Structures are given as structure tokens and as C-alpha cells.
Amino acid sequence: MSRLRALAALAALTLTGALLAVIPSTAASAAACATPWQSAAVYTSGMQVSHNGRNYQAKWWTQSEAPPGTTGVWQDLGACGGSTPPPPDGTCNHPNWIAGTWYPAGSIVRYTNGQYYIAEHDNPGYDPIISTWYWNPYTCSGTPPTSSPPPTNPGGFVVSEAQFRQMFPNRNSFYTYSGLINALNAYPAFARTGSATVQRQEAAAFLANVYHETGGLVHIVEQNTANYPHYCDSGQPYGCPAGQAAYYGRGPIQLSWNFNYNAAGAALGLPLLTNPWLVQNDAAVAWKTAIWYWMTQHGPGTMTAHNAMVTGAGFGQTIRSINGSIECNGGNPAQVQSRVTRYQQFVGILGVPAGANLYC
């Protein structure tokens, strides 16, 4: 009997061991994902994050080093969320996209059109249907949904109207996208020279400078009215037929001085010397004067802003061509930084790198 009891006990232990061996593998599943890692956040010892489908724990203070990192600060806790079965009918259950929210790569959101998108690159809440470099369509099966190709942008411009709206969310209604498109035929080489990347870089550079000059396309005319009488160079043979104080800054580049109105008018076939108010009353004219300056004038610089971008001289040279005598060479680094920051934002929206030589 004792031998039978021993065999029974051994069998029970063996069965229990087998069950124990089976139970963990059945119950084992990836842990829930911790809060997604954010480059701007500060993490201290013991704090946990998720990144690219894995959980990590900080060993000491860290910031900006994405897990798994190279310094050893992140302890890999294993895969997360991987064993969660997909919804039964193939539908998704992900949070709604919120503009301005930081989304690390791998984030999945539901957009306002009811479709889902996955972040291909970390981004500060760019619009999924505009910033296609940052977002891709997503289904729960991981298969991108079929969709018709986006419509060709009017005039062949590399910036779509949706991207334009994203760049200038608070713009004055005077500055229409259609006005910009109508102005493109004045200089066909604008944002159409070089590779697709160069074309987008030039468009971003132009619009970044425009943003800076007008406070985000808010101001149509120069705000300091005390300057108005100063823009008449009476030494010019044609003088100031529209009046002493008529040639103040207007439009996206804030065109000013009677000699600039005269030159722009001659180039564009418009009576700007005698009727400078056209620039503040006609959106297409306003955009044309800005593109005229960009394409043909080098100001205090040594090259046009257009040539700076298509030859690889860099964004910094566009600043020099527009206001380099005041801002460059340490003249006003805050203003230079403002332009550079905006340019970096705009190339991000267009999905291209910023390139070299950003400063002047």
C-alpha cells in the first residue's frame, strides 16, 4: 500500500507539475503598454514608458533619449500589448486624434473622417490627412485601406490647400490660397526648380519668411504708420506720384519704397507706382509682388532667395536677402531663430528635410 501511495503521490506531483508548466504559457501575454515615451518629457529612476511595442523602465534621470537608447538608461521590460486579440469584426478601437497632442511613432488614432491612421514618425499632432510623411492609413489588420489618390494640387504647386491652411490657421481672409495659385504663373520657376525635395524646401522657405513678415499672414499693411512718409525716395526720376506716404509695406513680403513698387510694377505689368493700393486690395497682386521679390531681388544679400534654395546655399541666405542687414551676423538672432523655427515646421508639414545652412 505504501508503494501504491508513493506512486499515486508521484503521479499527482507529475500532473501538478505538468499543469504548472502549461498554465504560465497559456496565461502568458504581453503586458499592457505604459504611457508612450515623449522626447520632451523628463524621466527619473523607476518610471516606465512604452515605445515601438515594448515597455521600458528608466534607471536614472533621462530626457530625449528614445528607448532602448545607447547609454543603458532604459531597462527593456519586454513586449507590450502584443497578445491583445483584434476586435472581433475587424473594427478598431483607438482614441480620437487631437491636434497639438504629442504622438510618438506607432500611435494609432481615429481621425474626424472616421478612418484610422498610424504615426510613422514622432510628431506634435500634425493633421493625418495633411502630413502624410508622419501618418499612414491604418486598419486593425494592419493592411492600409484602399483609397483614391489625392487630387493634383492646383497650378502644380507643391503645397496643397490643406497644408496651406495648416501653416496659416489664423490668416487674414485676404490672403487666399487661390490668390497664391493665381500668382504662380508670373514666375513659373518658383517652387518648380530642381528635385521634388528642393521644390518643397523652396516653398517652405518662402512661406516661412512670409509668415514672419506678416505675423502668420495676419497683417496686410505695415502696422507702424509713423514709417509711412519715410518710404518715398524723392531722388528717383519718377518721384512719388501716389503721394509722399503711399509706399508703405504691403502684402506677404511687405513691399515698401517707391523704387520697389516701380520695379515690381514694371516686371509684373501693373501700375504699382501710381496705384500701390493694388497690393492691399488684390490677393493675386499681393502674392505676385512677394514672388517677384523672392525670384528677382537679392536685397542686402548676394543672391536671390530663389537661387539660395535651388543651389543649396540654404535657408540662411534667404534671410540675408530679405532682411540680412538688420538680422544677420548677430544683428538680431531672435528674429533669425523665429524664421528658422517656422521653416523647420513647414518642411515637416511637407515631409522633407530642412537641409544645411539654416542661419545667416
Side-chain angles (χ1 to χ4, degrees):
M1 290 296 293
S2 61
R3 177 177 174 81
L4 289 175
R5 287 196 191 95
L7 288 173
L10 179 60
L13 286 173
T14 303
L15 178 59
T16 302
L19 288 173
L20 290 174
V22 170
I23 289 172
S25 63
T26 302
S29 61
C33 286
T35 302
W37 172 84
Q38 297 184 24
S39 62
V42 171
Y43 298 99
T44 56
S45 177
M47 296 180 69
Q48 295 185 8
V49 299
S50 63
H51 190 60
N52 292 337
R54 301 186 72 81
N55 281 334
Y56 296 87
Q57 181 170 296
K59 298 178 182 178
W60 56 79
W61 187 99
T62 183
Q63 184 181 25
S64 302
E65 182 177 348
T70 58
T71 64
V73 65
W74 291 109
Q75 178 183 351
D76 190 338
L77 301 179
C80 68
S83 65
T84 303
D89 58 355
T91 58
C92 291
N93 183 22
H94 295 286
N96 292 331
W97 169 79
I98 302 174
T101 298
W102 179 264
Y103 291 106
S107 300
I108 301 170
V109 297
R110 182 180 186 273
Y111 189 59
T112 55
N113 60 7
Q115 297 181 4
Y116 290 86
Y117 296 83
I118 185 169
E120 293 297 310
H121 302 87
D122 296 355
N123 70 89
Y126 290 143
D127 193 310
I129 66 170
I130 296 175
S131 300
T132 54
W133 189 76
Y134 289 97
W135 295 95
N136 273 340
Y138 178 84
T139 64
C140 287
S141 65
T143 304
T146 58
S147 60
S148 57
T152 303
N153 292 338
F157 193 37
V158 294
V159 179
S160 70
E161 184 169 4
Q163 289 169 330
F164 178 75
R165 290 198 305 267
Q166 185 178 1
M167 292 172 175
F168 301 99
N170 301 312
R171 72 185 185 284
N172 190 300
S173 60
F174 170 78
Y175 290 112
T176 61
Y177 180 75
S178 60
L180 172 57
I181 296 303
N182 290 337
L184 297 178
N185 59 8
Y187 291 94
F190 170 68
R192 294 191 184 98
T193 303
S195 67
T197 294
V198 170
Q199 292 176 31
R200 284 166 172 76
Q201 287 173 335
E202 181 179 9
F206 171 76
L207 293 172
N209 280 297
V210 161
Y211 190 105
H212 181 84
E213 294 293 320
T214 61
L217 286 183
V218 171
H219 303 304
I220 302 172
V221 302
E222 183 175 352
Q223 298 301 289
N224 187 356
T225 56
N227 283 341
Y228 285 15
H230 299 160
Y231 296 123
C232 175
D233 182 359
S234 57
Q236 299 295 333
Y238 41 77
C240 298
Q244 173 77 22
Y247 302 100
Y248 49 85
R250 295 178 177 90
I253 295 286
Q254 294 289 282
L255 186 72
S256 56
W257 289 98
N258 57 330
F259 47 81
N260 279 327
Y261 278 90
N262 180 66
L268 299 171
L270 298 168
L272 299 185
L273 183 65
T274 56
N275 187 6
W277 297 277
L278 278 173
V279 181
Q280 69 188 72
N281 294 328
D282 187 314
V285 171
W287 283 113
K288 284 181 180 180
T289 62
I291 297 174
W292 165 80
Y293 190 94
W294 183 268
M295 298 295 293
T296 68
Q297 306 298 299
H298 60 70
T302 59
M303 65 186 75
T304 66
H306 169 73
N307 285 339
M309 295 308 298
V310 301
T311 63
F315 180 74
Q317 289 300 318
T318 72
I319 303 173
R320 191 175 294 279
S321 298
I322 293 172
N323 208 25
S325 60
I326 296 176
E327 296 180 14
C328 294
N329 302 320
N332 196 328
Q335 295 296 306
V336 171
Q337 185 60 58
S338 171
R339 295 179 193 264
V340 171
T341 299
R342 194 64 57 183
Y343 171 64
Q344 291 172 319
Q345 178 191 357
F346 286 1
V347 291
I349 290 174
L350 297 180
V352 294
N357 306 318
L358 297 182
Y359 297 86
C360 63

